[in-house]
Amino acid sequence: MINNNLDSSYLEVPPDPERIIEGLRDTGYEFNTSMADVIDNSIAAKANNIEVAITMDFRGNIFVSVTDDGCGMDKDGLINAMRYGSRRRTDQSSLGKFGLGLKTASTAFCRRLSAISRGQAGGKVLKATWDLDHIASVERWALQLGEATGNETELLDSIAKGKTGTVILWEKVDRLLKAYATPDGKAARKALKRYEDDLRFHVSMVYQRFLDKNDRRASDVNIRINGEPVLPWDPYCVSETKAPIAEKVMKVEIGEDDHAEFKVRAFILPRKDEFSDQQVAKDARLTNNMQGLYVYRENRLIHGPDWLEMYIKEPHTSLCRIELSFDYKLDDAFQVDIKKSRILLDDSLYDWMQKFLQGPRREGQERYRKGIAATVTGTAALIHAVSNNAIHSQADNLKTAEVTEVDGSTGNVTITNKNGITKLKIKLVEQKNSGECHVQPVDSLQDGVLWEPAFIDGNQAVRINTGHPYYHKVYIPNQKSGVIVQGLDSLIWGLCAAELGNVSESNKRNFEEMRYEVSRILRRLVEDLPEPPEADA
């Protein structure tokens, strides 16, 4: 259609509706992100109560609805809400941003989207529907508009009680579950229940400030999923941490006459055994995946947890959680995406954030290492007992060197082996625990090496550094397997025995460098190994 108000050299070229809508289905929405986009609209409408329903009928058809008691919409409002690229809201702090979220989030999973709404108390309940199959058949942006059915009005009034409110309804849901031989069978229903459980946690995290009645930063909202209330999830465990270890408010100039602020707060969580209540510790989800930055726009979590590509997630920072909050004025600075689920930092923000995070990350690493050291100290003495007994039974037959002289003033030890006499700096120690005459765990070793040769009460021995990541990630997870620990200990003890049997004045430096280099390589190799379970760590 040609717009007569345009210069004759310009033509209106409307996009093909089917191609556009089908293309927008593939914008990368996940189910949780899609549902949050729909819930955003309910919160923007000042709803006090929101009910999410995810159901399946006996034929295996899935229905998803989000019902609220917000301000509702009249006919014009309903049409605008369903428009792709709806008009900008007058309240720029609204959780909506691009005017696309409701439509793209919904049709990413369904082929029939309806908005059912009452704009004034006691008024008519109107319904607007995008049916993707109908659009394809008529090749037009054909929005169906009419009155809601009795069942749809009843669904609205389960929350709105005859007053204003809105229902967003998904039908022809074709992209949620994979194809099952019996779609309405147990497997499909079990899979749908997993979606419900995952969504419950996602909502509890994303809308924590709205769900927490004690949090005054956001308006109070009650959200239920399939009839069960969603409780707020606090990533920072303020009941335990009490306060952030670092906090900063930064002002950012916007144009010549305006500015905005963002706030960063850093929290270090206790280790599991340091929590006052173990149920609280369980609810805190003390896993490696939950560390990093949690980014909030207008009090709604939009990104994280991760380190925004500044750092990788690694075990020593697993107790570190950072809160970053900003308002709509900084959308451009933080480059908020269409799904409101991802941000990017410009160079200046990136540099500032890295500097801020240095202290909290260092503190988190220190607390984590102290906890690991205490845990390992309590278990290390026990897990090498089998190795000590096994090695002791063969030690006389495997002796490779003898101590012939000790210089108390220098700490040098003279040993005799097949290469003759050699002076070394080597530890002569006593047993710390009964039977610990060949393998002795210690908190640390010089230069951070994993092991060093020693003599314990005159026996050829190895001292093992429990502070080395190899010990934490290989020994500790296998502490209940005597065979594995014995195998590891025997290997390292054998290396020490071989070193003592072959060392000489000319090559002793080479043996020291070999231990240092192997320890460095092992440190790198175990970086990607999983953390041992909390019960074992």
Side-chain angles (χ1 to χ4, degrees):
M1 179 185 296
I2 298 176
N3 187 335
N4 293 326
N5 293 324
L6 293 177
D7 185 280
S8 59
S9 63
Y10 290 91
L11 297 176
E12 283 192 26
V13 184
D16 180 275
E18 181 183 6
R19 293 291 301 278
I20 289 294
I21 287 182
E22 292 294 340
L24 288 174
R25 298 194 81 194
D26 297 320
T27 47
Y29 271 98
E30 296 179 352
F31 179 67
N32 289 342
T33 308
S34 294
M35 292 303 297
D37 250 4
V38 178
I39 292 172
D40 282 351
N41 286 278
S42 295
I43 293 177
K46 311 299 183 185
N48 295 313
N49 299 284
I50 302 170
E51 178 77 39
V52 178
I54 307 168
T55 60
M56 178 187 291
D57 68 15
F58 68 94
R59 296 187 183 90
N61 298 313
I62 297 170
F63 301 89
V64 178
S65 63
V66 177
T67 306
D68 68 56
D69 59 358
C71 61
M73 294 172 281
D74 58 17
K75 178 180 177 181
D76 290 340
L78 198 58
I79 293 171
N80 179 59
M82 294 294 272
R83 186 194 309 276
Y84 278 78
S86 55
R87 292 189 299 274
R88 187 184 299 272
R89 289 190 173 101
T90 54
D91 181 4
Q92 293 187 52
S93 67
S94 165
L95 295 188
K97 177 169 171 56
F98 294 101
L100 290 169
L102 170 63
K103 284 75 67 175
T104 54
S106 299
T107 57
F109 292 93
C110 74
R111 298 193 64 81
R112 183 177 171 89
L113 165 66
S114 297
I116 301 156
S117 192
R118 181 191 287 123
Q120 59 181 7
K124 288 183 179 180
V125 180
L126 300 178
K127 175 183 178 182
T129 299
W130 285 121
D131 188 316
L132 273 57
D133 296 317
H134 180 72
I135 290 171
S137 67
V138 300
E139 298 181 350
R140 290 190 300 114
W141 293 91
L143 179 68
Q144 183 181 2
L145 189 65
E147 292 190 19
T149 67
N151 288 338
E152 291 163 347
T153 299
E154 185 178 337
L155 175 60
L156 173 63
D157 283 335
S158 66
I159 299 296
K161 310 298 184 185
K163 298 181 181 179
T164 59
T166 299
V167 178
I168 300 301
L169 178 63
W170 295 3
E171 299 170 285
K172 297 183 184 178
V173 177
D174 63 336
R175 288 190 173 185
L176 189 56
L177 296 185
K178 67 179 183 180
Y180 286 90
T182 54
D184 59 333
K186 289 184 178 180
R189 293 186 182 278
K190 188 175 181 180
L192 197 62
K193 183 63 168 64
R194 284 197 297 271
Y195 274 108
E196 177 189 332
D197 293 341
D198 289 346
L199 177 63
R200 184 178 301 281
F201 176 68
H202 186 75
V203 170
S204 72
M205 178 171 62
V206 169
Y207 300 104
Q208 174 217 346
R209 298 181 181 180
F210 295 88
L211 294 167
D212 187 348
K213 300 298 186 288
N214 296 317
D215 195 322
R216 306 322 315 163
R217 290 172 291 184
S219 58
D220 291 343
V221 177
N222 301 308
I223 302 177
R224 295 161 62 96
I225 298 177
N226 284 352
E228 292 295 323
V230 178
L231 302 178
W233 181 73
D234 175 15
Y236 318 106
C237 297
V238 174
S239 63
E240 299 284 332
T241 57
K242 305 302 181 185
I245 66 162
E247 182 173 348
K248 189 74 173 178
V249 178
M250 288 293 294
K251 287 188 176 182
V252 178
E253 298 298 326
I254 302 175
E256 296 181 358
D257 304 319
D258 198 6
H259 73 276
E261 295 179 346
F262 68 89
K263 177 184 286 189
V264 187
R265 301 198 300 168
F267 295 83
I268 308 298
L269 271 61
R271 283 182 52 80
K272 182 180 179 181
D273 56 353
E274 296 172 335
F275 272 77
S276 60
D277 185 288
Q278 287 306 295
Q279 183 58 49
V280 176
K282 182 179 180 181
D283 293 340
R285 300 189 175 224
L286 298 174
T287 64
N288 208 33
N289 289 334
M290 303 308 290
Q291 67 176 277
L293 280 146
Y294 292 71
V295 183
Y296 299 81
R297 175 190 181 271
E298 295 293 344
N299 293 309
R300 183 253 210 226
L301 182 71
I302 66 166
H303 184 94
D306 62 24
W307 292 108
L308 292 174
E309 300 183 357
M310 289 184 283
Y311 311 98
I312 62 170
K313 291 184 177 181
E314 54 95 14
H316 291 132
T317 51
S318 61
L319 302 178
C320 199
R321 296 179 181 177
I322 314 296
E323 177 189 272
L324 167 60
S325 303
F326 67 94
D327 65 22
Y328 72 93
K329 292 181 179 180
L330 291 175
D331 282 349
D332 291 338
F334 287 105
Q335 302 179 59
V336 179
D337 75 349
I338 189 174
K339 299 189 294 294
K340 301 189 295 292
S341 62
R342 178 174 176 270
I343 69 165
L344 297 172
L345 300 180
D346 64 23
D347 290 344
S348 59
L349 283 173
Y350 186 96
D351 292 341
W352 183 91
M353 188 63 66
Q354 274 201 317
K355 290 178 182 177
F356 174 86
L357 291 174
Q358 287 176 0
R361 281 173 55 84
R362 189 163 50 246
E363 175 68 18
Q365 290 169 351
E366 182 66 22
R367 293 192 192 180
Y368 177 90
R369 288 192 174 99
K370 284 182 179 178
I372 291 297
T375 300
V376 170
T377 299
T379 61
L382 302 175
I383 68 177
H384 300 285
V386 173
S387 302
N388 273 302
N389 291 334
I391 293 170
H392 193 64
S393 68
Q394 299 288 332
D396 288 342
N397 300 325
L398 299 174
K399 186 177 291 186
T400 59
E402 290 187 357
V403 176
T404 56
E405 185 181 339
V406 178
D407 186 337
S409 62
T410 64
N412 288 337
V413 173
T414 302
I415 67 167
T416 301
N417 60 21
K418 65 183 181 182
N419 289 329
I421 298 174
T422 304
K423 288 187 177 181
L424 303 171
K425 279 190 175 293
I426 193 169
K427 296 289 185 181
L428 299 180
V429 298
E430 297 179 351
Q431 298 181 40
K432 292 192 298 184
N433 300 286
S434 178
E436 193 179 77
C437 51
H438 296 285
V439 180
Q440 186 178 78
V442 294
D443 293 341
S444 63
L445 291 174
Q446 186 174 348
D447 297 325
V449 296
L450 175 59
W451 82 92
E452 69 177 13
F455 284 91
I456 301 177
D457 291 342
N459 298 293
Q460 287 183 179
V462 59
R463 303 176 83 221
I464 302 178
N465 178 6
T466 63
H468 193 284
Y470 184 87
Y471 194 92
H472 176 59
K473 290 193 172 184
V474 178
Y475 270 94
I476 293 300
N478 292 291
Q479 62 183 281
K480 295 180 181 178
S481 174
V483 173
I484 294 177
V485 172
Q486 183 180 336
L488 293 168
D489 285 346
S490 297
L491 173 63
I492 299 178
W493 185 87
L495 291 171
C496 289
E499 178 177 340
L500 292 171
N502 291 275
V503 69
S504 65
E505 291 293 343
S506 63
N507 67 19
K508 62 183 181 182
R509 182 63 179 170
N510 294 338
F511 278 110
E512 292 175 3
E513 291 179 352
M514 185 272 295
R515 278 187 273 119
Y516 176 83
E517 190 66 12
V518 171
S519 299
R520 183 189 68 81
I521 291 171
L522 288 175
R523 184 184 298 273
R524 293 293 301 273
L525 285 175
V526 300
E527 280 182 353
D528 295 330
L529 289 180
E531 284 293 290
E534 281 287 338
D536 297 335

